[in-house]
Amino acid sequence: MAIHGPVHSSVGLDTVGLADLADEHWNLETAGLYEHALVNGEGGLAADGPLVVLTGLHTGRSANDKFIVRDRVTADAVDWGKVNVAMEPGDFQTLKRRMLAYYRGRPAFVQDLHGGADPDFRVKVRVVTEQAWHSLFSSHLLIVPPAAERRDFAPDFTILQAPGFLADPETDGCRSRTVVALDFTERLVLIAGTSYAGEIKKSVFSILNFLLPPRDVLPMHCSVNVGGAGDSAVFFGLSGTGKTTLSADPNRALVGDDEHGWGDNGLFNFEGGCYAKAIRLSAGAEPEIFAATRRFGTVLENVVMDPLTRRLDLDDNRYTENTRAAYPLDFIPNASPTGHAGHPANVVMLTADAFGVLPPIAKLSTAQAMYHFLSGYTAKIAGTETGLGDEPRATFSTCFGAPFMPRHPSVYARMLADKIGKHGSDCWLVNTGWSGGAYGVGRRMSIRHTRALLNAALDGSLARARLRRDDNFGVLVPEACPDVPADVLDPRATWSDKGAYDNQARDLCGRFHENFEVFTNCVDRRVRDAGPRMAA
């Protein structure tokens, strides 16, 4: 066994039981990881320089294969249920022993990294992978510490990832040959049977989502940018709602595109890179992200590449609709070098309403913000996920990130309301979905109109505009906005069949009310009454 790399820690892999490995590759940089990935046949080199990889069976997260070990640390703190599924400590130990045995005789790629830009709240994370491209992904998505800190790096948590190892449900206490298991006592994450790299970054997010609330830091599944006057904005949103696209604004500095904390020091990024959806990226609408897909260093997951010319086809979804680009934050020209911002002047909640009835933008009260944060609504359409039919499907993901929230949703919602109240943030609900009819009849909201509305919200002018109360959803909607046609601001006016709009709006209001029933006993009447009005 030989150790390679520019710097390796005096705290070795034996601390988690890894032994008898082939070569250990510590903290390799981009060029070295490219070389290993290409030599080992892990991916291909595209014409403009990105590394293109295929993840095989799993092209997204395996939500049903995620577990948290139930023990004295987690038993009374985790919100156990369909999202947070318990694993017994003994099963975790069995899985760990088998994965350690799998690694014997194999090479290991190691990255010592930080999760969190704020030194008061970051965690030290060691990521151990069997493939070079996952090591490159990790070095992009987390924060690379100075070399001096890596010499004696003692991880708070270790992530051991082995796509080639297949779990055994009968032996390992899981449900399939894929497993993502987190033990807060051992401070160890085991990822097996999947090559989808997002499992690595989301494991760190889950760790921080558990650790930070008791320290009065709200972890958020959101992007953040900041204007020239230091005015920061938070963008909540599920996949496909435009969180990454809308936060990559050439006139505002990007703090981060996916995961942040909000504490007494303001906002801080959990990550050091971006993990953007690449399907049908447009150089016109998303120039910064599009340019990143053409750079040496970027990792492209499941993007189609011509085998002869090595040219990319971002419109081709033959492998998945969930194609991804992973790249360092500084690939975005106006990215923040610090990963920090002040308390947000604006909090934006993005939804892609495929039913076409929500207004394109609405101002929320604090109670409404808490209601919509707990609801986490968007709508999925055919082609974005296997098993979806022709009709849109309403999706409610609490806190806009339910799969990564170990504690009860009310913990995060109360923290959000408290911080909004303390710092006087304006709150907005923005619909990036459909207008003039549901999916299949209407058309997708113009990104030009959405940006104009957001610009007016972020510069403060929209909060001072004339506002009307929406009859169905009870939110305040501006009557006018520069560069946005007046009829676009009234979703009912965009429908040719007004009766069809009324029926669809009532239906969606009912879905909101039905979904919110699980929260009625953990919020006060003010929040319960902040939902849709269900007009007759």
Side-chain angles (χ1 to χ4, degrees):
M1 186 270 290
I3 295 178
H4 308 276
V7 58
H8 69 275
S9 175
S10 60
V11 181
L13 299 179
D14 57 326
T15 56
V16 292
L18 283 165
D20 302 323
L21 300 171
D23 292 353
E24 295 179 16
H25 304 280
W26 285 75
N27 298 312
L28 296 184
E29 296 184 1
T30 299
L33 290 168
Y34 256 57
E35 183 175 328
H36 282 283
L38 295 172
V39 168
N40 295 335
E42 297 173 11
L45 185 64
D48 296 308
L51 181 68
V52 181
V53 299
L54 299 178
T55 63
L57 176 64
H58 296 285
T59 57
R61 290 184 306 101
S62 299
N64 294 326
D65 296 306
K66 176 175 165 284
F67 300 88
I68 298 174
V69 173
R70 192 198 319 248
D71 58 18
R72 60 179 180 80
V73 174
T74 59
D76 298 326
V78 169
D79 182 35
W80 303 107
K82 291 183 179 179
V83 172
N84 298 307
V85 180
M87 173 177 277
E88 294 303 314
D91 290 331
F92 184 87
Q93 290 302 318
T94 298
L95 178 64
K96 176 186 173 183
R97 285 194 297 271
R98 291 179 5 88
M99 286 186 67
L100 293 175
Y102 170 85
Y103 256 96
R104 291 193 186 106
R106 298 178 185 274
F109 293 87
V110 186
Q111 292 286 340
D112 285 335
L113 304 161
H114 288 157
D118 190 323
D120 291 339
F121 302 110
R122 68 171 48 132
V123 292
K124 296 179 178 180
V125 181
R126 174 167 292 166
V127 183
V128 183
T129 65
E130 64 173 318
Q131 292 184 315
W133 83 261
H134 287 111
S135 190
L136 179 59
F137 172 92
S138 302
S139 71
H140 286 347
L141 267 295
L142 295 174
I143 298 170
V144 177
E149 291 187 30
R150 285 176 149 180
R151 294 190 182 98
D152 296 302
F153 190 95
D156 299 315
F157 283 82
T158 299
I159 297 175
L160 180 62
Q161 186 242 25
F165 175 83
L166 300 179
D168 180 351
E170 292 188 8
T171 302
D172 301 319
C174 50
R175 64 173 293 277
S176 76
R177 300 203 293 181
T178 299
V179 62
V180 180
L182 169 55
D183 188 323
F184 280 100
T185 297
E186 287 237 349
R187 294 182 166 247
L188 179 64
V189 180
L190 303 176
I191 303 174
T194 174
S195 287
Y196 180 67
E199 300 286 13
I200 296 171
K201 79 180 222 87
K202 289 305 183 188
S203 294
V204 178
F205 190 38
S206 297
I207 290 168
L208 290 166
N209 286 343
F210 183 76
L211 297 180
L212 292 182
R215 304 181 67 188
D216 196 30
V217 175
L218 172 63
M220 302 178 293
H221 184 213
C222 70
S223 57
V224 171
N225 66 21
V226 59
D231 55 305
S232 62
V234 166
F235 299 80
F236 290 105
L238 299 172
S239 179
T241 58
K243 179 163 52 70
T244 297
T245 297
L246 293 171
S247 59
D249 184 333
N251 299 312
R252 297 173 65 85
L254 178 67
V255 178
D257 83 326
D258 199 42
E259 300 168 5
H260 294 80
W262 185 358
D264 287 342
N265 300 333
L267 303 169
F268 65 96
N269 196 355
F270 288 170
E271 300 184 318
C274 299
Y275 194 39
K277 290 194 77 168
I279 194 70
R280 290 180 287 278
L281 269 177
S282 161
E286 300 128 327
E288 295 85 5
I289 303 171
F290 184 88
T293 66
R294 265 63 181 172
R295 287 190 60 166
F296 177 82
T298 294
V299 178
L300 297 177
E301 283 184 311
N302 302 310
V303 169
V304 173
M305 176 178 67
D306 186 290
L308 297 178
T309 66
R310 302 281 171 155
R311 296 292 177 188
L312 303 174
D313 184 354
L314 298 182
D315 295 330
D316 194 327
N317 66 350
R318 73 180 65 176
Y319 301 121
T320 178
E321 192 80 9
N322 190 37
T323 58
R324 292 279 177 168
Y327 48 88
L329 194 64
D330 62 14
F331 277 21
I332 300 298
N334 59 334
S336 164
T338 67
H340 290 265
H343 300 289
N346 290 279
V347 173
V348 178
M349 298 180 187
L350 301 169
T351 178
D353 176 29
F355 297 103
V357 294
L358 281 174
I361 194 166
K363 194 172 188 301
L364 306 179
S365 66
T366 300
Q368 288 172 330
M370 194 170 172
Y371 182 96
H372 284 278
F373 185 63
L374 283 168
S375 298
Y377 165 72
T378 194
K380 294 181 179 179
I381 58 174
T384 61
E385 188 175 288
T386 58
L388 291 180
D390 294 333
E391 297 298 317
R393 189 182 75 185
T395 299
F396 296 92
S397 183
T398 302
C399 308
F400 295 96
F404 324 115
M405 304 293 177
R407 298 180 183 272
H408 193 276
S410 62
V411 172
Y412 307 104
R414 289 193 189 102
M415 291 185 74
L416 178 66
D418 289 346
K419 292 184 182 300
I420 287 172
K422 181 177 180 180
H423 301 288
S425 309
D426 283 332
C427 300
W428 305 90
L429 181 68
V430 173
N431 175 21
T432 61
W434 272 255
S435 177
Y439 169 76
V441 176
R443 58 189 178 277
R444 192 74 188 257
M445 204 75 69
S446 163
I447 192 169
R448 181 169 56 86
H449 293 157
T450 300
R451 284 199 181 277
L453 289 165
L454 272 176
N455 289 340
L458 299 186
D459 70 19
S461 61
L462 209 58
R464 299 187 297 270
R466 278 183 67 111
L467 304 170
R468 64 169 182 84
R469 193 168 297 278
D470 185 88
D471 291 336
N472 294 290
F473 299 96
V475 293
L476 294 174
V477 181
E479 294 183 351
C481 178
D483 301 319
V484 180
D487 63 336
V488 170
L489 294 169
D490 180 0
R492 190 173 188 269
T494 66
W495 285 54
S496 58
D497 186 340
K498 303 299 191 275
Y501 170 85
D502 294 336
N503 291 335
Q504 190 70 82
R506 279 193 295 270
D507 177 74
L508 184 58
C509 288
R511 294 173 192 247
F512 267 98
H513 280 274
E514 181 181 0
N515 173 75
F516 205 79
E517 286 178 2
V518 297
F519 302 120
T520 55
N521 294 327
C522 60
V523 297
D524 61 29
R525 178 171 295 278
R526 185 175 54 93
V527 177
R528 291 196 296 271
D529 291 345
R533 298 178 167 207
M534 297 187 71

